[in-house]
Structure formats: structure tokens, C-alpha cells
Amino acid sequence: MEHWALSLPDVDATPESAHGPLSEAEQRQLAEAHKAVDNVRTARWMLGFSLEVVRRRRLYRADGTRTWEEYLTQEHDGLSTSEADRLQKTWRLAQAVQKELGRPAPDSHMRKLEPYAQRTSDEQAAAAYKALYWAHQEQGHRLVAKQVQQRVREAVEAARGVSDPIERTRAVTAAWTVAPEGPVPVQRAEARDGKAPAPETDPVDTALRLLQAAREAIEDAAEDQRAREARSEDHARFQQEAIRRIGRVLAKVKVEGELIPDAEIVG
């Protein structure tokens, strides 16, 4: 706390003693308080870096018999292998964004930005994110994960079917560049051009869209800091197990067709 130059007041401020715009001293105090949020986000990608070091050097083995899964359970409070893998795959992008932007970005934004980085590079994705972030800031709007996702979808769609890596990168970059620089309203793609949405011909497609929306809603909800602080550890375990149980059920679902009689959806 001393490092952040913060201290608790002897007496709480009141509407009479604290009113009007923040003074320069108050602005400095608020900026210092916000560093705690930045530290949490930085620690997130640093965890991914440290996990990769431990895994690649096999430092998890302890007495020589401990497995990677046992290490995650014992040292990281039961962190799942899938989440550990995701952290290892995305820490470089988060680091690149922090260097480019001058501050770390929310983890939810990095998840949405990852497809763009996969088709270009971490550095190029970081520069694109910076441009999008400041376009919103200049217009007084807060950038949210769904807006990042929409921009990424538009850019990635432009490169669909392009096999050459260089041409694919150019197509993605060009699509991102010509997209609106200001805040992008979140809306269904089929409604953007004013056309009525095409009727659904397969109920499985409709269900898959609902599942996709549900997955995004759960990811965004999991990033809610206030809810996280109020949630007990037992409740969090219950929620995590419920999510995994749904995944196991979906993994058993089979979709049948005339030409593909047994097309299994692997969850």
C-alpha cells in the first residue's frame, strides 16, 4: 500500500467536504487506486508465463513423481488443465497489448482478440487493439468485449478461404482498417444491412447459436469483479462443476444426417 502512496483517511469524506470535480491531489489518489486493477490484469498474463516455464522445464515434478495435473491441483487451487493451457497460449498477446497500450487490458478483451492475433501476430493485434481502444476513449465511450469480438469477426471473415499466410494477414488487416473507427454498436450481423434475417432451416444451427451466446455470457459473467468478490469458494466450485457437467453432456450429443449418418460433436 505504501508503494501505491495510498492511505485510509482518519474520517470518511462527506457530501459537504467532498463535492465538485476532483482536485489534482484527488485525481492522483484515484489513479493510484486504479493501479490495483492494472496489477491484477498484469498478474493474469504473468501467471500464464510462469505456468509455461514450470511446464516446459518440468519444475512441477517436485520429488520426481508429481504430475502436471497434481501440481495444478496442489499449487494453483485446482486450476484446470484447459485453463492453464489457455493462459499459456495467450500471455504473449496480453503482454504485447500492455506494451503497446501502456496498461494491461481486461482478460475478456484478450479472449476476443485472440483470433485476430492467430491470423496476424501478437504485435499487430496489439496495435489494432490500441487503435480501437483510443477511438472509443476519444468519443467518451467505454470499449467492451462484445465490440472487440464484433470487430475481430468482421476482420477474420474477410480472410475466410485465403490459404496463403501473407495474403490472409493482409486481408485481415485491411478489413480491420476500413471498419468504423468509432464505437461499434453490438447487433446481429444479419440486421446490420437492413435485411430481414434468413429463416432458420435447421434447428441444430439455432441451438448452436444459443449455445455460443450462452458461452459468451458465462465468460463475461465470470469476469465480473464485484460478483467474484462476493462469491464463496464452495459456490465457485459448484458453478465450475455445473459448467463442466454441461460440457460433458453436450459432448455426447450426436447430429445425424443423410450423408453423414453419425457426425459427432466433440465438446
Side-chain angles (χ1 to χ4, degrees), residues 2 34 38 43 88 132 142 152 182 195 219 252:
E2 290 80 2
H34 284 174
D38 288 347
Q88 292 171 77
L132 183 63
R142 175 174 170 267
V152 170
K195 298 178 181 178
E219 288 180 347
K252 298 177 182 179

Side-chain angles (χ1 to χ4, degrees), residues 242-260:
I243 293 172
R244 290 171 179 165
R245 186 162 54 248
I246 292 171
R248 289 193 293 269
V249 172
L250 290 175
K252 298 177 182 179
V253 175
K254 292 183 179 181
V255 179
E256 296 183 351
E258 290 185 350
L259 298 179
I260 306 177

Side-chain angles (χ1 to χ4, degrees), residues 121-142:
S121 68
D122 292 335
E123 292 72 23
Q124 189 165 329
Y129 178 85
K130 177 183 177 181
L132 183 63
Y133 175 86
W134 284 114
H136 281 69
Q137 289 292 311
E138 289 169 1
Q139 297 192 28
H141 294 273
R142 175 174 170 267

Side-chain angles (χ1 to χ4, degrees), residues 195-256:
K195 298 178 181 178
E200 296 291 350
T201 58
D202 193 326
V204 174
D205 290 334
T206 303
L208 287 174
R209 288 191 179 89
L210 292 173
L211 282 173
Q212 174 70 10
R215 183 185 67 82
E216 293 171 3
I218 290 176
E219 288 180 347
D220 291 341
E223 293 295 321
D224 190 314
Q225 183 66 30
R226 187 173 300 177
R228 186 186 306 173
E229 293 172 353
R231 186 182 299 123
S232 69
E233 187 175 349
D234 288 341
H235 191 193
R237 286 200 188 98
F238 171 79
Q239 292 175 329
Q240 188 68 62
E241 179 55 34
I243 293 172
R244 290 171 179 165
R245 186 162 54 248
I246 292 171
R248 289 193 293 269
V249 172
L250 290 175
K252 298 177 182 179
V253 175
K254 292 183 179 181
V255 179
E256 296 183 351

Side-chain angles (χ1 to χ4, degrees), residues 5-193:
L6 289 178
S7 62
L8 289 173
D10 296 328
V11 180
D12 289 355
T14 65
E16 293 74 27
S17 63
H19 58 275
L22 294 178
S23 65
E24 290 186 7
E26 289 174 325
Q27 290 177 7
R28 287 194 297 270
Q29 290 174 342
L30 181 61
E32 290 295 330
H34 284 174
K35 286 183 180 179
V37 177
D38 288 347
N39 283 355
V40 169
R41 291 172 178 170
T42 300
R44 185 73 173 166
W45 68 255
M46 290 182 68
L47 173 59
F49 169 74
S50 66
L51 286 170
E52 185 169 341
V53 170
V54 171
R55 180 184 59 80
R56 293 177 62 181
R57 295 183 181 275
R58 294 184 177 272
L59 303 179
Y60 56 80
R61 66 186 189 278
D63 62 354
T65 62
R66 187 167 66 175
T67 65
W68 172 243
E69 291 77 10
E70 291 172 339
Y71 165 77
L72 294 176
T73 298
Q74 296 171 9
E75 305 293 346
H76 292 278
D77 299 322
L79 181 69
S80 67
T81 54
S82 59
E83 177 65 7
D85 289 344
R86 193 187 72 79
L87 288 168
Q88 292 171 77
K89 292 177 181 177
T90 59
W91 74 263
R92 291 177 177 83
L93 173 60
Q95 182 191 51
V97 168
Q98 182 165 341
K99 288 181 178 179
E100 184 74 30
L101 191 61
R103 58 175 300 179
D107 192 47
S108 59
H109 290 201
M110 294 301 93
R111 286 200 299 268
K112 307 304 183 186
L113 188 63
E114 188 177 358
Y116 187 97
Q118 291 174 347
R119 289 162 176 78
T120 55
S121 68
D122 292 335
E123 292 72 23
Q124 189 165 329
Y129 178 85
K130 177 183 177 181
L132 183 63
Y133 175 86
W134 284 114
H136 281 69
Q137 289 292 311
E138 289 169 1
Q139 297 192 28
H141 294 273
R142 175 174 170 267
L143 179 64
V144 298
K146 288 184 179 180
Q147 291 167 331
V148 177
Q149 181 184 43
Q150 182 173 328
R151 287 290 295 274
V152 170
R153 280 179 175 172
E154 292 172 353
V156 170
E157 182 64 27
R160 188 179 298 277
V162 181
S163 58
D164 182 74
I166 296 178
E167 291 300 322
R168 184 167 58 244
T169 298
R170 288 174 179 169
V172 171
T173 305
W176 182 282
T177 303
V178 300
E181 287 300 327
V184 181
V186 179
Q187 53 184 320
R188 291 181 60 86
E190 59 264 32
R192 284 201 302 269
D193 55 7

